[in-house]
Amino acid sequence: MTRETVVVALGGNALIRADQTGTIAEQFANLKGPLRQLARLAEHYRLVVTHGNGPQVGNLLLQQECCAAVPPLPLEILVAQTQGQIGYMIESVLDEELARLGREEQLLASLISYVVVDPADPAFATPTKPIGPVYPAAEAARLPWPTVATGRGYRRVVASPRPVAIVEKREIATLVAAGFIVICCGGGGIPVIRQGRGFHGVDAVIDKDLASAALAVELGADRLVIATDVPGAALDFGAPGERYPATMTLAEAERHLAAGQFPPGSMGPKVEAASHVVRHGGHAVICHLDDIERALAGNAGTRLLP
Ligand code: ADP
Ligand code: MG
């Protein structure tokens, strides 16, 4: 019997926790918990691993502001850099965890991935995604890009268009079929638009959960696991009646989304991503990073139902 294919989307906390500065030592240490679980799961499932990159891209943006001697790099290049650095960290920690289990033979590969977006996506007209450092108002006014006021100050804001297609889909599918664990679509992928027979990168950021769902559907994966820093999709999050339902139907998810239970930029895209996979006949669960194995067994997280 063929093993099921599972796409696991690792949230930002798999690398940097809220109370940390985000040194590389911290990032390596944080990866151990989730990747130890994936190493065990690799015995039973074909795995594809995706991940966020928000703080890492933010740091690269900040670094380039500190050095005027080097020409600034566009966002597409910074996303590619984070796919390389995070792919390396995930691959090396996963390799170590597999070796601890005596599974040195398990094949691994990290891929630089682009994701096609639509130049007519309305997101380009109204950028919503804050990225990079925080600036005081006077400095923000002098920046060459649009900014948005946040709780802490002003930040650059970029479009967050929807993923349309995963460019390396066939490469990923081929590697998965050959038994590789594939690490890909980091940071939601490098956003590109089609131009003639080629692609060219754009200054935008794709939500990593939506990209992971698009990937899961394109691969015909059986399951999507969205692993984050909360136990699931809560109703009345942060309010006295807060609760984490074990299951949620597509209709319920839509109703709660419309009612503002799952905000854009955090839980909203996770519920949308999970819904997308279930609508296409797959399984999807949103869970804590510590609960990946339990969630796959149906014993943790919020599972989306048709
Ligand atoms: P990740 O880096 O894993 O993608 P995000 O910060 O984007 O994580 O999303 C997870 C966060 O969503 C939680 O830490 C929580 O603060 C926030 N959140 C907002 N609404 C909800 C909700 N209804 N249920 C659970 N978490 C929610
Ligand atoms: Mg997120």
Side-chain angles (χ1 to χ4, degrees):
M1 213 181 73
T2 339
R3 293 176 303 157
E4 287 192 347
T5 299
V6 181
V7 174
V8 182
L10 299 176
N13 272 273
L15 290 150
I16 304 178
R17 304 209 175 127
D19 57 343
Q20 296 177 331
T21 52
T23 65
I24 288 298
E26 283 169 341
Q27 298 188 46
F28 271 117
N30 293 336
L31 280 171
K32 277 201 189 303
L35 295 184
R36 188 159 294 178
Q37 298 178 68
L38 296 194
R40 287 192 292 253
L41 288 167
E43 197 174 333
H44 310 287
Y45 297 98
R46 294 173 156 173
L47 297 177
V48 178
V49 184
T50 65
H51 59 83
N53 72 345
Q56 290 79 12
V57 157
N59 285 344
L60 290 176
L61 284 164
L62 186 56
Q63 274 178 345
Q64 52 181 26
E65 293 204 6
C66 299
C67 179
V70 176
L73 299 171
L75 207 42
E76 58 183 296
I77 302 296
L78 300 185
V79 175
Q81 290 186 351
T82 63
Q83 288 185 349
Q85 78 183 64
I86 299 171
Y88 158 62
M89 287 193 282
I90 292 178
E91 195 173 322
S92 58
V93 174
L94 190 50
D95 209 25
E96 216 173 276
E97 293 303 323
L98 285 160
R100 281 163 51 94
L101 300 177
R103 296 180 47 86
E104 285 88 352
E105 80 289 358
Q106 173 67 57
L107 302 169
L108 298 173
S110 312
L111 286 190
I112 298 297
S113 338
Y114 343 135
V115 174
V116 178
V117 298
D118 181 355
D121 191 308
F124 285 108
T126 41
T128 54
K129 176 76 181 169
I131 57 162
V134 179
Y135 305 93
E139 204 179 322
R142 283 197 297 271
L143 294 172
W145 345 274
T147 55
V148 67
T150 70
R152 297 177 290 153
Y154 287 78
R155 292 178 79 192
R156 177 179 177 187
V157 68
V158 296
S160 187
R162 303 189 75 83
V164 174
I166 313 298
V167 176
E168 292 82 3
K169 173 189 129 178
R170 287 186 308 158
E171 286 83 349
I172 297 166
T174 303
L175 288 169
V176 170
F180 282 76
I181 297 177
V182 183
I183 301 148
C184 59
C185 290
I190 302 166
V192 297
I193 56 178
R194 281 188 203 279
Q195 213 169 45
R197 303 188 61 176
F199 298 101
H200 96 106
V202 289
D203 261 357
V205 166
I206 303 171
D207 181 85
K208 72 112 175 37
D209 296 309
L210 296 182
S212 304
L215 173 67
V217 169
E218 287 201 45
L219 289 178
D222 301 279
R223 294 167 195 280
L224 171 67
V225 178
I226 299 176
T228 184
D229 62 345
V230 285
L235 297 177
D236 297 325
F237 179 71
E242 175 182 292
R243 61 217 178 271
Y244 284 91
T247 61
M248 198 184 291
T249 65
L250 289 176
E252 286 168 341
E254 223 160 281
R255 196 155 41 77
H256 295 318
L257 272 165
Q261 290 276 358
F262 310 128
S266 62
M267 192 47 67
K270 295 185 200 310
V271 172
E272 276 185 54
S275 300
H276 182 69
V277 167
V278 170
R279 228 177 279 121
H280 285 81
H283 298 268
V285 64
I286 299 163
C287 67
H288 196 281
L289 280 157
D290 297 339
D291 289 339
I292 298 172
E293 287 174 293
R294 278 189 289 275
L296 267 174
N299 298 324
T302 301
R303 207 152 34 96
L304 264 287
L305 301 177

